[in-house]
Amino acid sequence: MRGFLASSIGVTCAAALALPLAPPAAAAAPSAAPPTSGGTAQSEAYVPGGTQSLPLAPLTRDRAPGAAVQGVPRRDVRHFSLVGLVWDDPDTELHGHVQVRTRATATGNWSGWQELEAHNADHAADPGTPESTSGRVRGATAPLWVGESDGVEVRVRAENIPEAARATTAAPTAASPLPTGMRLELVNPGEGAPPAAAPGPDEAPRTTGMTAESAEAVAASAANAGLAPLGATEIPALSRAQTQAELAAQQQAKPYVGPRPKITTRRGWGANEKLREKKFVYTKKVKAAFVHHSATGNNYSCKQAPSVIRSIYRYHVNSMGWRDLGYNFLVDKCGKIYEGRAGGVSKAVLGAHTLGFNSNSMGIAVLGTYSSKKPSSAAVKAVARLTAWKVGLYGMNPRGKTYLKSGGGNLYRKGKNVRLNVISGHRDGFATSCPGKKLYGKLGTTRSTAAKYQGR
């Protein structure tokens, strides 16, 4: 991994500005939203969101650290819309049940108890990579979208740990059945990033007087140069003939490539580029696509999807300690496609989505939980369109097989060459329930549809 290219793309000023890394969750005590820079009336009106971090405490008479039942009693908090649980050691698994209930801001009513998906270690950077060994990464549950809320209660109950799990370093000790340093993360997605001070279509990038945030926004947008104008909120769709003509003009003609779908850019969903690490990291190619579900629940409207993505982004970076959003792309229930990790939608951006198989692949998360609920036909079609285009850029057949070298995980040892479907589910590379039984069952249809889009 260390040999991969890591550079800011196209904007000299962005490389010259030092972007502070996200602070550890342990230091993220309940705080007001971070101040904006620039001091203009526009920035003063901007509400960037933030994260409240609440430490868990024993809920029984057993007050020792690591007590078997811990939580946060019902309490009033500042507004938030997404909740998750983090702990100190990313290699420690949480063997137990995490339940949360929240109070809706609009009605004042409390929800019933909702379960957080406890095992989330399978969504991560590969072992031994700079991102996984940064010292900032933490263990975490999947986040849950609950809508705008101002009250919360959480309880975590340890379960009996199998003897086989006790023999590994990934399991807590018998004296400490739950991970240490557990904190409840309450994420407010804010209103999206304010417009960056980007140049016009005929101007060179401006460097004088730009804030770190606007420079990073320009850098993220410039990574899609050739696909959309600088500062665009979306990359327009092209027909298959137009896509092939565009590639031919760039001397990158491919015999089989699907039509380019419309993609909402990071600017379009309101990414605060100040949160992520400054540089982009690339792998060599895209040989496979891993399909995920976000496990954030299905209680969101398509209009709320950008807020859900901003919340996941903030949770991945500020709470879990990743360098950026883990997925390369996201798809909502209405079939809208969103740019994920920064670096350019047509490029082989290294993500943190499938532990052991992030190299030479991409990760696509369908927003929602699809263990028992069927994904929408619009979402399945969008995944097919996206994969037909993206893997086609790298000469891959969506109905075909490929080999990826494992970076290490619970299914395949590090260094093993593994034969996988070009369009795989997360569970094909790691022992996990993701992307849910119902979404996983749609991958056969996705492969055949994507191949048709490519003209095969």
Side-chain angles (χ1 to χ4, degrees), residues 39-171:
T40 64
Q42 185 181 50
S43 65
E44 290 172 358
Y46 164 51
V47 181
T51 302
Q52 302 170 70
S53 187
L54 310 178
L56 270 62
L59 296 180
T60 63
R61 292 182 179 179
D62 177 7
R63 313 300 293 178
V69 183
Q70 298 184 41
V72 173
R74 184 180 294 196
R75 60 177 290 180
D76 298 337
V77 292
R78 296 192 306 277
H79 288 196
F80 70 98
S81 296
L82 179 137
V83 59
L85 188 73
V86 301
W87 53 91
D88 293 340
D89 186 357
D91 294 326
T92 297
E93 293 183 9
L94 194 163
H95 293 274
H97 298 280
V98 183
Q99 294 180 309
V100 63
R101 57 183 174 186
T102 56
R103 184 179 62 204
T105 304
T107 64
N109 295 330
W110 284 86
S111 71
W113 288 105
Q114 300 182 79
E115 192 99 5
L116 298 187
E117 188 172 299
H119 304 294
N120 197 41
D122 46 349
H123 298 75
D126 289 350
T129 60
E131 184 168 6
S132 69
T133 59
S134 66
R136 298 185 301 274
V137 180
R138 288 165 290 279
T141 67
L144 178 69
W145 175 262
V146 294
E148 190 169 355
S149 306
D150 59 7
V152 69
E153 181 177 7
V154 66
R155 63 189 183 195
V156 183
R157 296 180 183 275
E159 64 184 16
N160 292 330
I161 303 170
E163 286 300 321
R166 289 188 188 278
T168 71
T169 56

Side-chain angles (χ1 to χ4, degrees), residues 13 17 103 165 180 191 261 317 334 403 416 428 437 440 442:
C13 61
L17 289 165
R103 184 179 62 204
T180 59
E191 298 176 358
V317 177
C334 290
Y403 281 91
K416 180 177 176 60
D428 295 323
K437 180 180 178 180
Y440 188 77
K442 293 292 184 180

Side-chain angles (χ1 to χ4, degrees), residues 1 3-5 126 254 281-290 328-329 344-351 353 357-363 387 389-397 401-405 422:
M1 296 287 181
F4 293 148
L5 174 65
D126 289 350
K254 301 292 181 184
V281 181
Y282 298 97
T283 182
K284 294 179 180 179
K285 58 184 69 174
V286 178
K287 296 170 64 178
F290 286 97
N328 297 101
F329 296 94
V345 296
S346 65
K347 299 173 184 176
V349 178
L350 181 67
H353 49 81
F357 291 100
N358 292 299
S359 182
N360 295 329
S361 72
M362 69 172 182
T387 50
W389 171 69
K390 184 64 181 277
V391 304
L393 295 179
Y394 294 85
M396 303 305 296
N397 181 347
K401 303 278 187 177
T402 190
Y403 281 91
L404 292 179
K405 182 178 288 187
V422 168

Side-chain angles (χ1 to χ4, degrees), residues 242-303:
Q242 289 172 322
T243 302
Q244 290 178 320
E246 181 181 72
L247 292 172
Q250 300 169 0
Q251 297 183 339
Q252 299 178 17
K254 301 292 181 184
Y256 297 101
V257 63
R260 187 178 76 198
K262 182 167 68 174
I263 301 172
T264 299
T265 64
R266 289 172 65 92
R267 183 182 174 96
W269 55 260
N272 181 350
E273 302 295 352
K274 207 172 181 182
L275 295 179
R276 64 173 174 83
E277 286 190 18
K278 180 171 63 175
K279 294 181 179 180
F280 307 143
V281 181
Y282 298 97
T283 182
K284 294 179 180 179
K285 58 184 69 174
V286 178
K287 296 170 64 178
F290 286 97
V291 178
H292 305 253
H293 66 174
S294 64
T296 47
N298 303 306
N299 295 323
Y300 73 93
S301 67
C302 292
K303 185 177 180 181

